[in-house]
Amino acid sequence: MAADGERRKRRRRLFGTVAAVVAVALAAGGALLLSTGDDTPSAAGRTAAPAADEIRQTTEKAPASPEGQVVVDHYEQDLPKESAPSPRYAPGTWATGRILAKGIGTRIVGIRIEPGTDDTAWTLQLDGHLCATSGHVTVDGRTAVVVQPSSRKGTKDAGICDEVVFVDLNTGKKLWSARMPSAREAYVTNTNLTLAKGVVAVGWGHGSVAYDMKSGRRLWNSTTGAKCVDKGFAGGGALLALESCGEGSDSTYRVQRLDPRTGRARWTYKVAAGVQDVYLPSADPPVLAVAAGDILVTDLITLDGDDGTKLATISMGGDAYDPRCGDRYFSAGFFGDLENCDGVVVGRDQVFVTSKEQSDIDQPENWIVAFDRTTGKTEGKLDGRSLEPVVPLRMSGDRLLVLRSSLSDIEPSAVLSWDPRTGRQTPYLLFGLPSDEQGELGDPTRSDIVVERGRVFFAKRELAADDKHPKDAVLSVLGIGGAGNS
């Protein structure tokens, strides 16, 4: 009862903050609303409806009103203390039209998206801890996870992550599960999972396997002991494989575009020798983030999707840019990090990258630069504000969705879209975040930030109770939707 009472108080504070900051913003002559109107593609740009097993790429439409309201407010209890060695990990956040699904420890929880409630629609108890997740979701609302079976607890194979589970996010139903072959060296630190049309693919640096989404039937798998092994995959509109060839200091990397159904390579791009690490922030169009001579990303490389030839190299300029590749979980590689570059978003024609944060109080906290994908030249810049950093979230058609966090009591935080060719900014949502949670919720290396169907969800990746109040419930997910869309 005490937890419920505190939750209601907190929700009222959120509603009051949102209303106040929006009212001030509107009264100030619309300074925050740089442009308004429809933000959907023209009829000429629309295509036929995608198949159910394709990976969704939704185009957002600005809500009728930018004023935000809380639509998900989910708390977790019985958590380890903050001072405990390990928090409760919560990898994976997915949204459909009516459900926000969250991976937490050994389960996935489905929460109804509805203002004023914290209603759990379903809970899927897994066979063990989550090991790898993917942000990709099919058009009809399905995704996959990799699990570490608890049946091996107490044995020498206790840490192996070799169970793939395919889930319907709307109902919480486990559609199928499969045991990965020869996966004795698949762990939470090296297992990468992705989805492409009709296919679930998993790689762990010592082997790989792909399954048919509909049946769970194994389509193909790589052999262990080969000269080049699959470190993992990037999915979405295409399937890319990152392969490591050789051992130790002599190892090199190559990237292949695969036929998802057969695993056969359509083309191969050989990464230059001396590169220490490679990430794949986008498969379609293909973009690589490489750490040349260092563990930090030094360059982005764009490739032609048809034949794999190099188009451009975009330098990260030493201390200029912050691609944030592999920065989650203290760069430990937990839960699959091959596709995770939280400071990079790739569009059809452009690559968007955040700058490092600045220290000058009167200058923008940071900014986002748009690069032409073919030439590597800059095509636009979106400035944050003092104490209001900007974070690129994902593409919505040809526009970039951006989170602009605010530490001010006057100006709200915002999700907006940006068209770098025209400079047009369209406000989607204006809202306040809890002051004691804002730093964690607004940090893409610490929380999942998901925009889907006119709503934005902030979901923590690690959960722990306050040492002084260990029995208090802890905020896990906060969702904001348009006040006019309830």
Side-chain angles (χ1 to χ4, degrees):
M1 292 176 62
D4 287 343
E6 177 59 28
R7 188 178 306 164
R8 286 193 293 270
K9 291 178 184 177
R10 185 171 209 159
R11 189 178 294 119
R12 286 196 294 270
R13 289 199 295 271
L14 279 169
F15 276 114
T17 301
V18 170
V21 295
V22 172
V24 171
L26 295 175
L32 291 173
L33 308 185
L34 301 181
S35 66
T36 58
D38 195 9
D39 199 32
T40 56
S42 65
R46 294 177 184 142
T47 58
D53 62 353
E54 290 187 22
I55 307 308
R56 71 179 183 194
Q57 294 180 323
T58 51
T59 300
E60 295 290 318
K61 182 178 180 180
S65 167
E67 181 180 346
Q69 67 170 342
V70 176
V71 295
V72 169
D73 189 21
H74 182 69
Y75 287 72
E76 284 287 321
Q77 291 181 306
D78 302 321
L79 297 170
K81 293 182 179 181
E82 288 180 342
S83 58
S86 296
R88 182 167 300 161
Y89 291 112
T93 305
W94 311 271
T96 70
R98 60 181 185 270
I99 293 291
L100 185 285
K102 185 78 186 92
I104 303 174
T106 61
R107 69 191 195 279
I108 302 175
V109 178
I111 307 157
R112 288 189 179 90
I113 301 172
E114 186 176 344
T117 66
D118 180 7
D119 190 2
T120 300
W122 52 260
T123 298
L124 176 60
Q125 187 63 46
L126 302 168
D127 294 337
H129 285 280
L130 286 160
C131 273
T133 66
S134 170
H136 296 302
V137 176
T138 64
V139 168
D140 62 353
R142 296 171 294 162
T143 195
V145 297
V146 177
V147 174
Q148 181 187 85
S150 59
S151 59
R152 295 200 184 94
K153 188 175 181 180
T155 72
K156 64 179 181 179
D157 296 330
I160 294 176
C161 302
D162 65 351
E163 183 183 358
V164 181
V165 179
F166 200 54
V167 181
D168 185 321
L169 295 172
N170 285 306
T171 65
K173 182 180 179 181
K174 180 166 69 173
L175 301 175
W176 53 261
S177 64
R179 186 62 52 86
M180 292 152 49
S182 304
R184 295 180 63 85
E185 296 181 85
Y187 301 105
V188 69
T189 54
N190 64 356
T191 301
N192 285 276
L193 163 77
T194 198
L195 280 66
K197 182 180 179 181
V199 173
V200 177
V202 189
W204 56 92
H206 299 274
S208 63
V209 63
Y211 298 95
D212 175 71
M213 279 185 184
K214 184 176 181 180
S215 64
R217 176 176 60 90
R218 190 193 311 172
L219 296 174
W220 49 267
N221 64 282
S222 67
T223 57
T224 57
K227 181 180 179 181
C228 296
V229 294
D230 294 326
K231 289 198 66 177
F233 303 96
L239 182 63
L240 294 188
L242 173 64
E243 292 195 325
S244 176
C245 305
E247 296 181 359
S249 59
D250 295 329
S251 63
T252 58
Y253 293 99
R254 68 184 188 184
V255 175
Q256 295 183 323
R257 179 170 178 176
L258 305 182
D259 181 311
R261 305 295 300 182
T262 67
R264 295 192 185 99
R266 296 182 178 180
W267 51 253
T268 300
Y269 173 80
K270 294 183 178 180
V271 180
V275 167
Q276 301 299 310
D277 213 345
V278 179
Y279 297 87
L280 302 177
S282 175
D284 182 29
V287 175
L288 287 57
V290 301
D294 199 348
I295 60 172
L296 300 177
V297 169
T298 54
D299 302 277
L300 303 181
I301 298 174
T302 64
L303 305 179
D304 186 294
D306 293 328
D307 59 16
T309 57
K310 185 168 75 170
L311 299 176
T313 299
I314 303 170
S315 172
M316 292 295 92
D319 292 331
Y321 297 101
D322 191 10
R324 299 174 180 171
C325 298
D327 282 359
R328 301 178 182 182
Y329 304 103
F330 302 98
S331 303
F334 289 173
F335 311 111
D337 64 354
L338 189 61
E339 294 181 274
N340 297 331
C341 291
D342 293 311
V344 178
V345 171
V346 179
R348 182 178 58 185
D349 300 315
Q350 294 167 317
V351 180
F352 302 86
V353 189
T354 52
S355 74
K356 289 188 179 295
E357 293 187 357
Q358 309 300 305
S359 57
D360 295 338
I361 192 65
D362 294 329
Q363 298 299 316
E365 188 81 1
N366 71 338
W367 50 84
I368 299 171
V369 176
F371 295 91
D372 182 274
R373 192 177 65 83
T374 301
T375 66
K377 296 180 179 178
T378 58
E379 289 198 330
K381 180 171 175 255
L382 174 66
D383 284 328
R385 300 171 178 171
S386 178
L387 301 180
E388 295 185 20
V390 284
V391 175
L393 299 178
R394 71 169 176 87
M395 297 304 298
S396 174
D398 289 329
R399 298 174 175 88
L400 178 69
L401 296 180
V402 177
L403 169 68
R404 185 176 63 215
S405 297
S406 174
L407 300 177
S408 169
D409 291 332
I410 299 176
E411 295 179 348
S413 294
V415 170
L416 51 90
S417 76
W418 175 48
D419 185 338
R421 292 184 175 86
T422 64
R424 179 184 181 187
Q425 298 178 40
T426 303
Y428 278 20
L429 292 170
L430 304 175
F431 51 89
L433 293 175
S435 58
D436 56 338
E437 306 274 11
Q438 181 165 329
E440 183 173 2
L441 294 177
D443 183 349
T445 67
R446 301 172 66 192
S447 295
D448 293 329
I449 306 174
V450 176
V451 178
E452 189 65 32
R453 303 195 189 189
R455 301 148 174 158
V456 58
F457 303 93
F458 301 87
K460 296 178 182 178
R461 298 197 189 100
E462 298 181 22
L463 300 173
D466 186 275
D467 284 344
K468 295 181 179 179
H469 307 282
K471 294 184 179 181
D472 287 1
V474 173
L475 178 66
S476 170
V477 182
L478 179 66
I480 308 292
N485 292 359
S486 59

